[in-house]
Amino acid sequence: RYALPPYAVSLPFSSLLSIGSGPFSSASSMLGALLGAALLVQLATTRRGSPRLSGTVPVWLAFLALCGLSFLWSVAPSVTVNGVIVLASLVILYVALALTRFDRTTLRRFENSVVLGGVLVVGYGLAQLLLLGGLPKTDGGAARFGNDLLDPNNQAASLLLPLAITAWRTLHADSRAGRWTYGAASLVLLLGIAMTGSRGGFLAAVVVFATVVVLSTARRTLKLGLALAAVVFLVLLLVVQPGGVGQRQLERDTSSGRVDIWTVALHSCREYCLAGAGWGGFPEVYKEQLASVPDAKVQVGGVAYQPHNILLLAVVEAGVLGLVLVVLALGITLVSAFRLPASLRGPPAAALLGNLVSSFFLSNLEYKFFWAVLAYVVISQSVAQ
Protein backbone atom coordinates (compact mmCIF):
# COMPACT_ATOMS: atom_id res chain seq x y z
CA ARG A 1 0.00 0.00 0.00
CA TYR A 2 2.85 2.42 0.74
CA ALA A 3 6.03 1.18 -1.00
CA LEU A 4 4.50 0.30 -4.38
CA PRO A 5 3.06 3.74 -5.36
CA PRO A 6 6.35 5.72 -5.13
CA TYR A 7 8.10 3.01 -7.13
CA ALA A 8 5.40 3.15 -9.81
CA VAL A 9 5.62 6.95 -10.06
CA SER A 10 9.41 6.85 -10.53
CA LEU A 11 9.48 4.28 -13.37
CA PRO A 12 9.50 6.59 -16.43
CA PHE A 13 12.14 8.97 -15.03
CA SER A 14 15.12 6.59 -15.23
CA SER A 15 18.45 8.18 -14.27
CA LEU A 16 17.01 11.70 -14.24
CA LEU A 17 16.38 11.05 -10.55
CA SER A 18 19.57 9.41 -9.33
CA ILE A 19 22.51 9.85 -6.98
CA GLY A 20 25.20 8.26 -9.14
CA SER A 21 25.97 6.49 -12.39
CA GLY A 22 25.65 2.81 -11.41
CA PRO A 23 22.81 0.50 -12.52
CA PHE A 24 21.15 0.76 -9.10
CA SER A 25 21.69 4.46 -8.40
CA SER A 26 18.38 5.74 -9.78
CA ALA A 27 15.43 6.57 -7.54
CA SER A 28 13.36 3.82 -9.16
CA SER A 29 16.05 1.21 -8.36
CA MET A 30 16.31 2.29 -4.74
CA LEU A 31 12.54 2.41 -4.35
CA GLY A 32 12.34 -1.00 -6.02
CA ALA A 33 14.83 -2.40 -3.50
CA LEU A 34 12.76 -0.92 -0.68
CA LEU A 35 9.59 -2.38 -2.17
CA GLY A 36 11.18 -5.81 -2.60
CA ALA A 37 12.43 -5.84 0.98
CA ALA A 38 9.03 -4.77 2.31
CA LEU A 39 7.27 -7.48 0.30
CA LEU A 40 9.66 -10.19 1.49
CA VAL A 41 9.18 -9.14 5.11
CA GLN A 42 5.42 -9.10 4.62
CA LEU A 43 5.47 -12.55 3.03
CA ALA A 44 7.57 -13.90 5.91
CA THR A 45 5.43 -12.42 8.68
CA THR A 46 1.85 -12.41 7.40
CA ARG A 47 -0.55 -15.23 8.15
CA ARG A 48 -2.69 -14.63 5.10
CA GLY A 49 -2.32 -17.17 2.34
CA SER A 50 -0.64 -16.23 -0.90
CA PRO A 51 -2.68 -15.99 -4.09
CA ARG A 52 -2.68 -18.87 -6.54
CA LEU A 53 0.82 -19.05 -7.97
CA SER A 54 1.09 -17.73 -11.50
CA GLY A 55 2.52 -20.21 -13.99
CA THR A 56 4.96 -17.54 -15.10
CA VAL A 57 6.90 -17.61 -11.81
CA PRO A 58 8.77 -20.91 -12.36
CA VAL A 59 9.31 -20.02 -16.04
CA TRP A 60 10.95 -16.67 -15.30
CA LEU A 61 13.02 -18.22 -12.49
CA ALA A 62 14.20 -20.90 -14.93
CA PHE A 63 15.10 -18.18 -17.45
CA LEU A 64 17.05 -16.29 -14.78
CA ALA A 65 18.93 -19.48 -13.86
CA LEU A 66 19.74 -20.12 -17.52
CA CYS A 67 21.08 -16.58 -17.94
CA GLY A 68 23.22 -17.06 -14.83
CA LEU A 69 24.63 -20.33 -16.15
CA SER A 70 25.46 -18.65 -19.47
CA PHE A 71 28.40 -17.05 -17.65
CA LEU A 72 30.22 -20.36 -18.20
CA TRP A 73 30.25 -19.94 -21.98
CA SER A 74 29.71 -16.19 -22.34
CA VAL A 75 31.65 -14.16 -24.91
CA ALA A 76 31.74 -11.33 -22.33
CA PRO A 77 31.73 -12.86 -18.81
CA SER A 78 31.95 -9.60 -16.85
CA VAL A 79 29.05 -8.12 -18.85
CA THR A 80 27.05 -11.28 -18.22
CA VAL A 81 27.56 -11.04 -14.47
CA ASN A 82 26.43 -7.42 -14.37
CA GLY A 83 23.46 -8.12 -16.63
CA VAL A 84 22.32 -11.11 -14.58
CA ILE A 85 22.43 -9.01 -11.40
CA VAL A 86 20.11 -6.45 -13.01
CA LEU A 87 17.81 -9.16 -14.39
CA ALA A 88 17.72 -10.92 -11.02
CA SER A 89 16.57 -7.76 -9.26
CA LEU A 90 13.65 -7.47 -11.70
CA VAL A 91 12.66 -11.14 -11.61
CA ILE A 92 12.84 -11.36 -7.81
CA LEU A 93 10.66 -8.26 -7.42
CA TYR A 94 8.19 -9.70 -9.93
CA VAL A 95 8.06 -13.00 -8.02
CA ALA A 96 7.54 -11.16 -4.72
CA LEU A 97 4.63 -9.23 -6.24
CA ALA A 98 3.19 -12.45 -7.69
CA LEU A 99 3.27 -14.06 -4.23
CA THR A 100 1.58 -11.10 -2.51
CA ARG A 101 -2.17 -10.89 -2.06
CA PHE A 102 -3.64 -7.59 -3.31
CA ASP A 103 -7.03 -5.98 -2.90
CA ARG A 104 -8.86 -3.46 -5.08
CA THR A 105 -7.66 -0.52 -2.99
CA THR A 106 -4.01 -1.43 -3.55
CA LEU A 107 -4.62 -2.08 -7.24
CA ARG A 108 -6.25 1.34 -7.58
CA ARG A 109 -3.30 3.01 -5.85
CA PHE A 110 -0.89 1.25 -8.16
CA GLU A 111 -2.85 2.39 -11.22
CA ASN A 112 -3.09 5.97 -9.94
CA SER A 113 0.65 6.04 -9.32
CA VAL A 114 1.44 4.71 -12.80
CA VAL A 115 -0.78 7.39 -14.35
CA LEU A 116 0.75 10.12 -12.18
CA GLY A 117 4.28 9.09 -13.16
CA GLY A 118 3.37 9.08 -16.86
CA VAL A 119 1.69 12.50 -16.77
CA LEU A 120 4.54 14.04 -14.74
CA VAL A 121 7.24 12.78 -17.11
CA VAL A 122 5.33 14.13 -20.13
CA GLY A 123 5.05 17.43 -18.27
CA TYR A 124 8.84 17.39 -17.92
CA GLY A 125 9.13 16.83 -21.67
CA LEU A 126 6.75 19.69 -22.40
CA ALA A 127 8.80 21.98 -20.18
CA GLN A 128 11.88 21.04 -22.20
CA LEU A 129 10.06 21.68 -25.47
CA LEU A 130 8.43 24.99 -24.54
CA LEU A 131 10.62 26.55 -21.86
CA LEU A 132 14.10 25.01 -21.85
CA GLY A 133 15.21 25.44 -25.45
CA GLY A 134 13.77 22.31 -26.99
CA LEU A 135 13.95 18.56 -26.55
CA PRO A 136 17.41 17.08 -25.85
CA LYS A 137 19.63 15.79 -28.65
CA THR A 138 22.20 13.03 -28.79
CA ASP A 139 25.42 13.16 -30.77
CA GLY A 140 24.37 13.15 -34.40
CA GLY A 141 20.76 12.42 -33.48
CA ALA A 142 17.49 14.29 -33.60
CA ALA A 143 15.88 16.19 -30.73
CA ARG A 144 13.53 13.65 -29.10
CA PHE A 145 11.75 13.33 -25.79
CA GLY A 146 13.50 10.66 -23.71
CA ASN A 147 17.05 11.20 -24.93
CA ASP A 148 18.02 12.09 -21.37
CA LEU A 149 15.75 9.47 -19.77
CA LEU A 150 15.12 5.89 -20.89
CA ASP A 151 15.96 6.71 -24.55
CA PRO A 152 13.13 7.80 -26.88
CA ASN A 153 11.89 4.36 -27.94
CA ASN A 154 11.79 2.93 -24.42
CA GLN A 155 10.32 6.21 -23.17
CA ALA A 156 7.39 5.72 -25.54
CA ALA A 157 6.96 2.12 -24.37
CA SER A 158 6.95 3.24 -20.72
CA LEU A 159 3.87 5.40 -21.41
CA LEU A 160 1.77 2.52 -22.77
CA LEU A 161 0.71 1.24 -19.34
CA PRO A 162 -0.59 4.61 -18.06
CA LEU A 163 -2.23 5.16 -21.46
CA ALA A 164 -4.12 1.86 -21.16
CA ILE A 165 -5.35 2.81 -17.68
CA THR A 166 -6.48 6.35 -18.59
CA ALA A 167 -8.15 5.23 -21.83
CA TRP A 168 -10.11 2.57 -19.93
CA ARG A 169 -11.13 5.01 -17.21
CA THR A 170 -12.26 7.50 -19.85
CA LEU A 171 -14.90 4.97 -20.83
CA HIS A 172 -15.76 3.67 -17.35
CA ALA A 173 -15.46 6.64 -14.97
CA ASP A 174 -18.50 7.16 -12.74
CA SER A 175 -18.92 10.83 -13.61
CA ARG A 176 -18.66 13.10 -16.63
CA ALA A 177 -15.90 15.07 -14.90
CA GLY A 178 -13.96 11.85 -14.42
CA ARG A 179 -14.33 10.91 -18.08
CA TRP A 180 -13.10 14.33 -19.21
CA THR A 181 -10.17 14.23 -16.77
CA TYR A 182 -8.98 10.81 -17.86
CA GLY A 183 -9.64 11.66 -21.50
CA ALA A 184 -7.38 14.70 -21.17
CA ALA A 185 -4.73 12.55 -19.46
CA SER A 186 -4.91 10.08 -22.36
CA LEU A 187 -4.24 12.86 -24.87
CA VAL A 188 -1.32 14.13 -22.77
CA LEU A 189 0.20 10.64 -22.80
CA LEU A 190 -0.36 10.36 -26.55
CA LEU A 191 1.44 13.67 -26.95
CA GLY A 192 4.33 12.29 -24.91
CA ILE A 193 4.59 9.24 -27.18
CA ALA A 194 4.53 11.51 -30.24
CA MET A 195 7.31 13.68 -28.75
CA THR A 196 9.59 10.64 -28.56
CA GLY A 197 9.44 10.29 -32.35
CA SER A 198 9.14 6.52 -31.88
CA ARG A 199 7.31 4.87 -34.76
CA GLY A 200 7.10 1.59 -32.89
CA GLY A 201 5.68 3.41 -29.87
CA PHE A 202 3.17 5.16 -32.13
CA LEU A 203 2.00 1.80 -33.50
CA ALA A 204 1.85 0.29 -30.00
CA ALA A 205 -0.29 3.22 -28.78
CA VAL A 206 -2.78 2.51 -31.57
CA VAL A 207 -2.89 -1.14 -30.44
CA VAL A 208 -3.53 -0.04 -26.85
CA PHE A 209 -6.45 2.18 -27.87
CA ALA A 210 -7.92 -0.46 -30.17
CA THR A 211 -7.74 -3.12 -27.45
CA VAL A 212 -9.39 -0.85 -24.88
CA VAL A 213 -12.23 -0.02 -27.28
CA VAL A 214 -12.79 -3.67 -28.23
CA LEU A 215 -12.75 -5.00 -24.66
CA SER A 216 -14.77 -2.17 -23.12
CA THR A 217 -18.38 -2.75 -22.12
CA ALA A 218 -19.17 0.99 -22.27
CA ARG A 219 -21.78 2.46 -24.58
CA ARG A 220 -20.91 2.52 -28.26
CA THR A 221 -21.18 6.29 -28.35
CA LEU A 222 -18.50 6.62 -25.65
CA LYS A 223 -16.19 4.18 -27.43
CA LEU A 224 -16.70 5.95 -30.74
CA GLY A 225 -16.04 9.31 -29.09
CA LEU A 226 -12.77 8.08 -27.55
CA ALA A 227 -11.60 6.56 -30.81
CA LEU A 228 -12.43 9.70 -32.81
CA ALA A 229 -10.77 11.98 -30.27
CA ALA A 230 -7.58 9.90 -30.41
CA VAL A 231 -7.56 9.78 -34.21
CA VAL A 232 -8.22 13.52 -34.61
CA PHE A 233 -5.56 14.37 -32.02
CA LEU A 234 -2.93 12.18 -33.69
CA VAL A 235 -3.77 13.49 -37.17
CA LEU A 236 -3.45 17.08 -35.94
CA LEU A 237 -0.06 16.31 -34.43
CA LEU A 238 1.15 14.75 -37.66
CA VAL A 239 -0.20 17.57 -39.83
CA VAL A 240 0.57 20.63 -37.71
CA GLN A 241 3.77 19.22 -36.13
CA PRO A 242 3.95 21.76 -33.29
CA GLY A 243 7.57 22.28 -32.32
CA GLY A 244 8.54 19.45 -34.66
CA VAL A 245 6.44 16.90 -32.73
CA GLY A 246 5.20 14.23 -35.14
CA GLN A 247 7.73 15.06 -37.84
CA ARG A 248 9.90 11.98 -37.41
CA GLN A 249 6.94 9.60 -37.74
CA LEU A 250 6.41 10.86 -41.30
CA GLU A 251 10.03 10.98 -42.45
CA ARG A 252 10.68 8.22 -44.97
CA ASP A 253 14.40 8.87 -45.28
CA THR A 254 15.11 8.36 -41.57
CA SER A 255 16.25 4.79 -41.03
CA SER A 256 16.42 3.32 -37.55
CA GLY A 257 18.99 0.76 -38.66
CA ARG A 258 16.99 -2.11 -37.19
CA VAL A 259 16.98 -4.15 -40.41
CA ASP A 260 20.77 -4.07 -40.52
CA ILE A 261 21.01 -5.00 -36.84
CA TRP A 262 18.51 -7.84 -37.31
CA THR A 263 20.47 -9.08 -40.32
CA VAL A 264 23.65 -9.30 -38.26
CA ALA A 265 21.76 -10.98 -35.40
CA LEU A 266 20.26 -13.62 -37.70
CA HIS A 267 23.64 -14.25 -39.29
CA SER A 268 25.14 -14.81 -35.84
CA CYS A 269 22.56 -17.55 -35.15
CA ARG A 270 24.69 -20.07 -37.00
CA GLU A 271 27.20 -19.85 -34.19
CA TYR A 272 25.34 -18.62 -31.13
CA CYS A 273 21.62 -19.37 -31.23
CA LEU A 274 21.86 -22.95 -29.99
CA ALA A 275 23.40 -22.29 -26.58
CA GLY A 276 23.53 -18.48 -26.63
CA ALA A 277 26.42 -16.05 -26.45
CA GLY A 278 25.84 -15.29 -22.79
CA TRP A 279 23.46 -12.81 -21.21
CA GLY A 280 24.36 -9.28 -22.26
CA GLY A 281 26.71 -10.53 -24.95
CA PHE A 282 24.95 -9.17 -28.04
CA PRO A 283 27.13 -6.05 -28.46
CA GLU A 284 30.21 -8.30 -28.60
CA VAL A 285 28.47 -10.61 -31.06
CA TYR A 286 27.49 -7.62 -33.20
CA LYS A 287 31.08 -6.38 -33.24
CA GLU A 288 32.36 -9.82 -34.18
CA GLN A 289 29.80 -10.64 -36.86
CA LEU A 290 29.38 -7.24 -38.57
CA ALA A 291 32.33 -7.74 -40.93
CA SER A 292 30.78 -11.03 -42.12
CA VAL A 293 27.56 -9.29 -43.26
CA PRO A 294 28.62 -6.92 -46.06
CA ASP A 295 25.06 -5.73 -46.70
CA ALA A 296 24.67 -4.43 -43.12
CA LYS A 297 25.59 -0.81 -42.54
CA VAL A 298 27.72 0.26 -39.60
CA GLN A 299 25.43 2.01 -37.12
CA VAL A 300 26.20 5.30 -35.42
CA GLY A 301 26.04 3.60 -32.03
CA GLY A 302 28.65 1.07 -33.11
CA VAL A 303 29.14 -2.09 -31.11
CA ALA A 304 26.90 -0.91 -28.28
CA TYR A 305 23.77 -1.54 -30.35
CA GLN A 306 21.21 -3.92 -28.91
CA PRO A 307 19.18 -6.40 -31.03
CA HIS A 308 16.04 -4.23 -30.91
CA ASN A 309 13.80 -7.28 -30.73
CA ILE A 310 13.03 -9.19 -27.57
CA LEU A 311 13.00 -12.57 -29.33
CA LEU A 312 16.35 -11.99 -31.02
CA LEU A 313 17.71 -10.85 -27.66
CA ALA A 314 16.58 -14.09 -26.03
CA VAL A 315 17.83 -16.47 -28.71
CA VAL A 316 21.22 -14.80 -29.36
CA GLU A 317 22.09 -14.32 -25.68
CA ALA A 318 20.28 -17.26 -24.01
CA GLY A 319 19.94 -19.72 -26.88
CA VAL A 320 16.97 -21.75 -28.08
CA LEU A 321 15.97 -22.72 -24.54
CA GLY A 322 15.99 -19.05 -23.50
CA LEU A 323 13.75 -18.18 -26.44
CA VAL A 324 11.32 -20.97 -25.53
CA LEU A 325 11.15 -19.79 -21.91
CA VAL A 326 10.52 -16.15 -22.88
CA VAL A 327 7.80 -17.09 -25.38
CA LEU A 328 6.20 -19.44 -22.84
CA ALA A 329 6.20 -16.84 -20.05
CA LEU A 330 4.77 -14.11 -22.27
CA GLY A 331 2.18 -16.51 -23.69
CA ILE A 332 0.99 -17.51 -20.20
CA THR A 333 0.80 -13.84 -19.19
CA LEU A 334 -1.22 -12.96 -22.30
CA VAL A 335 -3.70 -15.80 -21.69
CA SER A 336 -3.97 -14.80 -18.02
CA ALA A 337 -4.70 -11.18 -18.97
CA PHE A 338 -7.55 -12.16 -21.27
CA ARG A 339 -9.00 -14.52 -18.65
CA LEU A 340 -9.42 -11.72 -16.11
CA PRO A 341 -12.98 -10.65 -15.27
CA ALA A 342 -14.43 -8.12 -17.69
CA SER A 343 -14.20 -5.33 -15.11
CA LEU A 344 -10.42 -5.85 -14.73
CA ARG A 345 -9.39 -7.17 -18.14
CA GLY A 346 -9.12 -4.05 -20.27
CA PRO A 347 -6.05 -2.15 -18.99
CA PRO A 348 -3.78 -5.18 -18.34
CA ALA A 349 -4.62 -6.79 -21.69
CA ALA A 350 -4.22 -3.52 -23.62
CA ALA A 351 -0.95 -2.61 -21.90
CA LEU A 352 0.46 -6.10 -22.43
CA LEU A 353 -0.45 -6.19 -26.12
CA GLY A 354 1.01 -2.73 -26.60
CA ASN A 355 4.24 -3.71 -24.89
CA LEU A 356 4.50 -6.90 -26.94
CA VAL A 357 4.18 -4.80 -30.10
CA SER A 358 6.85 -2.39 -28.89
CA SER A 359 9.05 -5.34 -27.88
CA PHE A 360 9.17 -6.41 -31.51
CA PHE A 361 11.25 -3.26 -32.05
CA LEU A 362 12.99 -3.16 -28.64
CA SER A 363 15.11 -5.44 -26.48
CA ASN A 364 13.65 -4.27 -23.18
CA LEU A 365 13.84 -7.28 -20.86
CA GLU A 366 16.05 -5.30 -18.47
CA TYR A 367 13.69 -2.32 -18.14
CA LYS A 368 11.47 -1.86 -15.12
CA PHE A 369 8.47 -0.59 -17.12
CA PHE A 370 8.35 -3.90 -19.01
CA TRP A 371 8.19 -5.89 -15.79
CA ALA A 372 5.66 -3.44 -14.35
CA VAL A 373 3.23 -4.51 -17.08
CA LEU A 374 3.83 -8.19 -16.30
CA ALA A 375 3.36 -7.45 -12.60
CA TYR A 376 0.13 -5.57 -13.36
CA VAL A 377 -1.32 -8.76 -14.80
CA VAL A 378 -0.47 -10.90 -11.75
CA ILE A 379 -1.65 -8.15 -9.37
CA SER A 380 -4.96 -8.05 -11.23
CA GLN A 381 -5.15 -11.85 -10.99
CA SER A 382 -4.68 -11.63 -7.23
CA VAL A 383 -7.52 -9.10 -6.95
CA ALA A 384 -9.78 -11.31 -9.08
CA GLN A 385 -9.28 -14.40 -6.90
Side-chain angles (χ1 to χ4, degrees):
R1 287 178 180 267
Y2 305 108
L4 183 56
Y7 173 70
V9 171
S10 69
L11 289 178
F13 287 94
S14 184
S15 58
L16 181 69
L17 305 176
S18 65
I19 59 173
S21 58
F24 298 103
S25 62
S26 67
S28 60
S29 293
M30 291 183 284
L31 289 170
L34 176 63
L35 171 61
L39 289 173
L40 292 175
V41 170
Q42 179 174 295
L43 288 170
T45 58
T46 186
R47 295 184 178 181
R48 293 188 302 169
S50 299
R52 187 170 60 221
L53 184 66
S54 170
T56 60
V57 168
V59 179
W60 283 122
L61 288 174
F63 179 74
L64 175 61
L66 175 64
C67 292
L69 285 173
S70 71
F71 165 79
L72 299 176
W73 57 84
S74 174
V75 297
S78 61
V79 175
T80 297
V81 171
N82 293 332
V84 169
I85 291 173
V86 173
L87 181 65
S89 68
L90 297 168
V91 173
I92 292 171
L93 179 57
Y94 171 79
V95 171
L97 289 167
L99 293 174
T100 302
R101 185 169 295 279
F102 288 85
D103 54 27
R104 287 187 177 270
T105 300
T106 311
L107 175 63
R108 186 79 175 185
R109 287 182 179 179
F110 172 69
E111 291 177 335
N112 291 342
S113 303
V114 167
V115 171
L116 178 60
V119 171
L120 286 177
V121 81
V122 175
Y124 168 72
L126 283 173
Q128 289 179 312
L129 179 66
L130 301 175
L131 304 174
L132 302 178
L135 297 173
K137 294 183 179 182
T138 56
D139 294 338
R144 300 170 65 184
F145 173 45
N147 271 328
D148 59 337
L149 298 171
L150 295 168
D151 90 52
N153 296 311
N154 284 302
Q155 197 69 46
S158 74
L159 298 177
L160 297 174
L161 176 54
L163 178 64
I165 295 169
T166 56
W168 183 264
R169 290 186 179 182
T170 301
L171 297 176
H172 294 271
D174 296 330
S175 64
R176 179 176 295 181
R179 288 194 292 271
W180 280 103
T181 300
Y182 289 118
S186 298
L187 296 183
V188 168
L189 293 166
L190 274 180
L191 175 60
I193 292 173
M195 287 195 302
T196 66
S198 172
R199 284 165 278 202
F202 199 85
L203 175 61
V206 172
V207 171
V208 167
F209 262 98
T211 305
V212 165
V213 170
V214 170
L215 295 181
S216 173
T217 57
R219 299 193 308 271
R220 290 184 180 180
T221 53
L222 283 177
K223 295 198 288 186
L224 181 61
L226 176 63
L228 286 176
V231 169
V232 170
F233 185 72
L234 291 175
V235 169
L236 285 175
L237 284 178
L238 295 176
V239 172
V240 179
Q241 298 179 8
V245 174
Q247 181 179 357
R248 188 176 184 274
Q249 282 87 348
L250 297 178
E251 290 180 346
R252 296 183 180 180
D253 58 344
T254 303
S255 173
S256 64
R258 283 186 176 85
V259 173
D260 297 300
I261 296 170
W262 293 343
T263 302
V264 175
L266 291 173
H267 181 271
S268 71
C269 268
R270 303 173 186 178
E271 184 173 350
Y272 292 109
C273 284
L274 181 59
W279 188 246
F282 184 85
E284 189 66 27
V285 171
Y286 179 82
K287 175 184 176 181
E288 173 191 306
Q289 297 288 319
L290 181 61
S292 302
V293 187
D295 293 336
K297 299 176 182 178
V298 178
Q299 303 301 318
V300 176
V303 299
Y305 263 66
Q306 296 300 316
H308 289 282
N309 180 284
I310 196 173
L311 301 181
L312 280 177
L313 170 72
V315 74
V316 173
E317 295 189 355
V320 173
L321 180 56
L323 175 64
V324 170
L325 291 173
V326 168
V327 171
L328 179 60
L330 294 179
I332 294 173
T333 305
L334 187 61
V335 171
S336 300
F338 278 91
R339 285 183 175 176
L340 289 168
S343 60
L344 297 175
R345 184 185 308 147
L352 182 59
L353 281 177
N355 269 271
L356 291 180
V357 170
S358 69
S359 294
F360 185 82
F361 306 99
L362 299 172
S363 43
N364 50 14
L365 264 178
E366 291 186 331
Y367 283 84
K368 301 180 191 72
F369 69 82
F370 180 84
W371 289 90
V373 175
L374 303 184
Y376 186 33
V377 176
V378 295
I379 290 172
S380 300
Q381 282 182 287
S382 175
V383 172
Q385 292 176 16

